[in-house]
Amino acid sequence: MRHHLLSLRKPWQTRMLALVLALAVTLLARGLFPGMLPSLDERSGDFLWRAFQSQAKERRVVVVDIDEASLARIGPWPWPRQRLAELSAKLAAAGAGTQVFDIVLPDPRPGDEQLAAEIARHPVVLAQVFALGREEPAAVGELQGALTSPACAPPLAQAHGYIGNAPGLTAAAGHISPRIDADGAVRRLPALVCYRGRPYPALGIAALLKAADAPPALTLAPGRSWLAPAYRLGFPTLPGITVPLDRHGDVRLSYALSRDSFVSVPAADVLAGDAPAGLFRGAMVLIGSTALGIGDAVPTPHGGAVSGVEVHAQFISALLDGRLPYTPRGAPAVRLLMALAAAGILLFLSARRARAPAVSLPLVGAALALSMFAVHGRALIADHLWLGWAEPALFSLCAGLLLGVAEHARTRSERESLYRNLASYLPSTVASDIAFREPTGVIDARRSEITVLYADLRNFSAYCEDRPAEEAAALLHAFFTLTDRIVQEHHGRVEEYAGDAVMAIWGAAPQDVARALAAAAAIAAQGEAILPAPPPGLEALGIGIGIETGGALVGSFGPARRRTHTALGRTVTVAVRLQALTGELAESVIVGPNAAALLSAEPLVPLGEFLLEGLHQPRNLYAFRPQGKGSEP
């Protein structure tokens, strides 16, 4: 009953409760499985990078690849330092702008002097590695390339060890220490790493500083607008270029270009002088390795084993174009707006009473979740904004599901209430038959063999003339209640209340007729207790009952907007006329000939042959004079 009242009188409380539960599920998922929703965001981002990768050719960044073929021709890694010096000289002779070595050379080796002299003659950037996580602290080689600004403070990453290059190999340097996500993929890179109070730039940033011949100083400022990143790293001498950082000081890598967008030349071809003429002129040349034996391969959105040099090539290209993706400061507000919009749409559809809510509302919730993914994808690919979508999408899915369940339960409750109300006006079998289907304006009835009991309060109209309507209503209510109870006890059903009369029906088998007769005896006997004494001058109230068996048409009649359910036919007419005759013959129960023929074991008293009003053939009638309460045969 409480559920019924809640669903009918307070539907908005039910809907709001569903939304609160959806929010609770979302928050619980974030609390119990903190990596699940961010992981879904990241993996969907990987899908977007692959699905919408650009095939545009990148000519500003060229990769010199120490690949398997080069190792086969030149020799196994590590190559002699003289060979690396020769490679640097060949690149300089080919017109390379800046040489960026994605290689760390920590151990002193023969030929270091020759390599040091060569890199001193050209714009060269070397790589170095920092220990950022739980790696064993190390201090190998010499650190180089520290910046004079910004100061080492949050949000910059802190290192507790490093691997630098061998003493004497002096050049600009940048770190190649990525952030490794839980699934092993590289999607972020610390822009600056602090070690012992000094900031060191990432390899791509160091390469840009070297290429621009800019001083080793950068600016770090927090974002101000809702579209700005958490922090911006700026180049004082390159005002058009900035690096957006998240609240941890990391830059999100862009994988917008396909792997085929970058020109890659085997290092052996460069050493042999077989590289295409003019390819390196003015370009930033990244020297790295894709050979599996060297082990410089990491998972990225583009594949499970992508060389580190490709990651840096993507970073430098996006840095030059100003298309590094970032999470704007207003991203949480955008996700909140997504969730509120989903809640509003689902509430609107719930209030409009969507058809089949258990299916339609969850489907709408799923469609809204997909639209959130589409918004996230459009912002990432077109505007380089990382909004996130998994949290509001989960809320939308849960809200659609729970609202669907709530609306379905409310609809079921209303239908059950409708059925209960119909069953109080109609027979329960009839109510269940018509409650859940559309109304029709055609005759919906069938011919059946039935036994009709028609009971009426004699002299009721005269009684009502001089009594208050409340007393008449109370008497009628008591009579209907008594009759309904007795009919139910004797396995019949009340078909209709007509004025002060009740029509009940049973089947046409002998036991059904016997039950109807027993019910009539009980009504006649117990009804005496509810009949009040008549006012002075009026005839006493009484109960008259007619019973007959035969064919009748039972069903619904009338227009679709206002129908009635009843039984029609000669059998019903005979029962009505028999009831009317009870007063004239001073009998309580009169039985028609068809019913009497099936009651051979009952003590019926023949009354003779009568021509009933409105009928053409006389009938033999019988009286049943009960001596007490009727009983079930």
Side-chain angles (χ1 to χ4, degrees), residues 77 387 404 432:
W77 188 260
L387 299 178
S432 63

Side-chain angles (χ1 to χ4, degrees), residues 25 34 81 99 114 227 251 255 265 308 329 342 348 367-368 421 468 522 570:
V25 170
R81 300 292 164 84
Q99 302 176 30
Q114 182 178 347
L227 272 178
V251 57
Y255 290 95
V265 180
R329 296 174 67 247
F348 174 77
L368 290 171
N421 279 281
R570 184 177 300 172

Side-chain angles (χ1 to χ4, degrees), residues 394-537:
L394 176 60
F395 170 79
S396 177
L397 290 171
C398 293
L401 178 62
L402 293 173
L403 280 172
V405 171
E407 290 301 309
H408 178 69
R410 196 164 72 88
T411 301
R412 286 292 301 271
S413 175
E414 290 180 348
R415 288 182 176 180
E416 291 171 1
S417 176
L418 173 63
Y419 166 72
R420 287 192 296 269
N421 279 281
L422 280 174
S424 68
Y425 288 89
L426 297 169
S428 58
T429 55
V430 177
S432 63
D433 185 43
I434 68 175
F436 306 128
R437 63 177 179 175
E438 292 293 325
T440 177
V442 301
I443 295 175
D444 184 13
R446 66 181 182 273
R447 180 167 290 278
S448 303
E449 292 293 318
I450 61 173
T451 298
V452 178
L453 180 153
Y454 196 85
D456 180 75
L457 284 175
R458 294 197 301 260
N459 303 321
F460 183 72
S461 297
Y463 173 81
C464 292
E465 186 175 0
D466 293 328
R467 307 304 299 166
E470 290 79 6
E471 289 186 19
L475 174 58
L476 200 59
H477 176 76
F479 175 62
F480 286 168
T481 301
L482 171 71
T483 305
D484 178 75
R485 176 180 59 80
I486 293 174
V487 168
Q488 292 289 335
E489 289 174 353
H490 291 80
H491 307 289
R493 79 181 189 205
V494 172
E495 190 69 21
E496 182 181 15
Y497 296 108
D500 59 351
V502 178
M503 182 171 66
I505 64 174
W506 284 259
Q511 63 268 28
D512 293 321
V513 183
R515 288 168 178 165
L517 187 62
I523 293 171
Q526 298 178 33
E528 296 178 0
I530 66 171
L531 298 179

Side-chain angles (χ1 to χ4, degrees), residues 125 173-176 189-193 200-207 251 312 315:
V125 179
H175 77 82
I176 55 173
L189 184 73
L192 301 178
V193 172
Y200 296 84
L203 186 67
I205 296 175
V251 57
H312 297 295
F315 175 44

